[in-house]
Amino acid sequence: MNTPAATAFATATHRTENTTGIGLLRQPTTVLFGPGQRRQLPQLVASIGERVLMVTDARMAESPEFTVIARDLTARGVIVEVYAGTEPDLPRRNVTDITERFGRDDRDGLDVIVGIGGGSCMDLAKVASVVLAHGGDVRDYYGEFLVPGPGCPVITVPTTGGTGAEVTCISVIYDEDRGMKVGVASPHLEAYAAVIDPELTLTCPAGLTAAAGADALSHLIESFTGRAKNPSTDDIATKLYAGKNLLADTYARTGLALLNTSLPAVAARPDDLQARSDTLFGAYCAGMAINTAGTAGAHAIQSPIGNLTHTPHGFGISALLPYVMRYNLPTRVREFAEIGRILGVTDGMDPEQIQAQRAIERIETILLTLGAPLDLRTLGLQPRHFGFVAEQSMLATRLTANNPRELTVDAVHGILERGYDGDRSWWR
């Protein structure tokens, strides 16, 4: 029968290799990691300028930790402005709001912006910095390398262990009029400094911990198993994602080893500071990996699903990951087998195919332990949406180009069919 699921495997399965041996990183100038390191913020901000904008959300703005940070900044003689209107999935209206408040009529200007919170807060801080500096509408900068220059320095402070936005040079925005997520991608969005304090994640709600953890895990998997591109000088100068590379792989291996134990530990004991620290360190490693290697198929497909179902990004990724991994497996047996060894589910004596399958099964076990969904039906996606999702997924060319196995509308349709049925058998 010539159904999408049946024809998906006709897609090319040739393997890509990093034949040039390239390694590439983009990263903040300074990274401070460790419990209590938020106390470094007043000194760090004061060394840059006299007026700071704190970009956060309503929950974080009311926390005791935020109050202390703002108080200590003021004690250093820093003028503190606060924007606490950041919403989940960063709608474009947040960018417009912040640039109107602190834009043309704000003659004093800002010396530094601190994004403190989840991925949306940090993404808003990064993109607001360049829009305030260069003017226009954020839509002028949708795409890659369209930001003409740097904005004011940005310091990122994550409060969830997942997005990696503290170190990535991209901001993802939901454009309400277009009904889709778009990215502003430029090295000029790279934070000046990242202050990564695991104590700030101790009060992260269980659902958000699960969604963020699933997202971080997917970043490590998609960067390590992604397409190798062997980029030219021009490619590196004009494209954010250079593909799977040696330096990104180093971070991916470290992050996978950390999350393998830390995510189950956090699920069992949310107040376990060591587990929280390892999770946040793993998420940081994931951010470093995807900053040059990029995310791939699962992220391309999740975006239209999230728009339809209004479910958290991390849960959409979790529900897709088992099926995207199975689809990609024929082109990445070697990498999945290595993941199996990193995760400790094989000693390397088994055939590579078995090692690879055990890696995928271990990843699913971690997601289940977190309480993240492993099927699309749970998200509320309906079969009538499959065609729309498949077509919309193919528009995310920046992501589909990273997938190790070519994606087509039929292939995505087949992934959706399996994901809806929860069919985690091995595709043949």
Side-chain angles (χ1 to χ4, degrees):
M1 183 179 295
N2 193 28
T3 65
T7 59
F9 257 41
T11 309
T13 58
H14 64 277
R15 179 181 171 85
T16 60
E17 299 278 0
N18 183 2
T19 57
T20 61
I22 188 172
L24 176 66
L25 292 181
R26 297 188 181 97
Q27 56 193 328
T29 301
T30 298
V31 175
L32 284 166
F33 181 93
Q37 290 304 310
R38 65 187 182 280
R39 298 182 184 92
Q40 303 279 357
L41 271 170
Q43 165 62 28
L44 190 55
V45 171
S47 70
I48 302 173
E50 299 177 349
R51 189 174 180 218
V52 62
L53 172 62
M54 306 285 286
V55 177
T56 190
D57 57 26
R59 186 181 75 90
M60 186 63 196
E62 295 175 356
S63 70
E65 293 85 358
F66 186 88
T67 300
V68 171
I69 292 170
R71 181 199 68 195
D72 291 348
L73 282 164
T74 301
R76 284 267 183 174
V78 177
I79 300 169
V80 179
E81 306 280 1
V82 178
Y83 179 85
T86 312
E87 301 171 66
D89 293 321
L90 186 52
R92 174 177 166 269
R93 61 176 172 267
N94 285 173
V95 186
T96 302
D97 187 19
I98 205 170
T99 53
E100 287 179 351
R101 291 194 200 184
F102 300 96
R104 294 184 301 273
D105 298 330
D106 194 340
R107 297 182 181 179
D108 293 332
L110 299 166
D111 297 316
V112 58
I113 298 176
V114 173
I116 178 168
S120 290
C121 296
M122 293 184 285
D123 278 358
L124 178 55
K126 292 185 294 187
V127 77
S129 170
V130 295
V131 177
L132 285 168
H134 301 289
D137 189 285
V138 67
R139 287 174 171 162
D140 300 333
Y141 308 111
Y142 287 173
E144 293 184 86
F145 283 74
L146 296 179
V147 177
C152 72
V154 173
I155 300 173
T156 50
V157 187
T159 61
T160 64
T163 68
E166 64 269 21
V167 292
T168 58
C169 46
I170 184 171
S171 290
V172 179
I173 299 149
Y174 177 66
D175 191 309
E176 306 96 311
D177 296 335
R178 300 185 183 187
M180 62 185 297
K181 287 184 178 181
V182 289
V184 176
S186 167
H188 294 306
L189 264 68
E190 191 70 72
Y192 168 80
V195 178
I196 307 172
D197 185 343
E199 290 180 354
L200 292 175
T201 67
L202 287 170
T203 57
C204 186
L208 184 54
T209 296
D215 196 23
L217 194 57
S218 75
H219 292 166
L220 295 164
I221 294 159
E222 291 205 307
S223 65
F224 193 68
T225 64
R227 183 181 295 268
K229 298 179 179 179
N230 300 300
S232 66
T233 301
D234 288 342
D235 289 333
I236 293 173
T238 58
K239 293 181 175 62
L240 187 66
Y241 295 147
K244 177 178 169 64
N245 67 84
L246 296 175
L247 294 177
D249 282 354
T250 298
Y251 278 95
R253 291 185 181 100
T254 300
L256 284 163
L258 287 164
L259 295 190
N260 182 44
T261 55
S262 71
L263 287 178
V266 165
R269 282 192 53 198
D271 62 345
D272 184 336
L273 181 58
Q274 185 59 57
R276 289 284 189 180
S277 297
D278 288 347
T279 295
L280 197 53
F281 193 14
Y284 156 73
C285 289
M288 290 296 295
I290 64 170
N291 208 18
T292 53
T295 54
H299 280 72
I301 302 170
Q302 185 280 328
S303 184
I305 291 175
N307 293 343
L308 285 169
T309 62
H310 306 290
T311 48
H313 169 77
F315 283 166
I317 291 294
S318 176
L320 281 163
L321 203 53
Y323 315 99
V324 175
M325 288 190 296
R326 281 167 171 74
Y327 176 76
N328 287 334
L329 179 57
T331 60
R332 283 296 181 260
V333 172
R334 185 186 307 165
E335 284 75 10
F336 276 114
E338 183 175 351
I339 291 174
R341 297 190 294 274
I342 292 169
L343 300 183
V345 292
T346 174
D347 59 8
M349 300 301 291
D350 301 304
E352 273 197 335
Q353 183 76 20
I354 298 300
Q355 295 180 51
Q357 291 176 353
R358 287 180 179 172
I360 291 172
E361 290 168 346
R362 173 58 184 166
I363 291 161
E364 292 164 353
T365 298
I366 295 171
L367 294 172
L368 283 171
T369 302
L370 284 172
L374 289 185
D375 69 88
L376 296 172
R377 195 186 302 251
T378 301
L379 303 181
L381 187 71
Q382 298 296 320
R384 68 176 183 274
H385 298 141
F386 291 176
F388 171 80
V389 170
E391 291 172 2
Q392 289 294 302
S393 299
M394 300 311 297
L395 299 178
T397 54
R398 178 172 50 86
L399 304 180
T400 58
N402 297 325
N403 206 66
R405 186 174 181 189
E406 183 184 352
L407 285 170
T408 64
V409 169
D410 280 350
V412 174
H413 206 289
I415 290 168
L416 295 172
E417 287 181 0
R418 293 227 172 200
Y420 184 78
D421 292 335
D423 179 1
R424 302 209 304 272
S425 60
W426 301 107
W427 288 16
R428 302 186 187 281

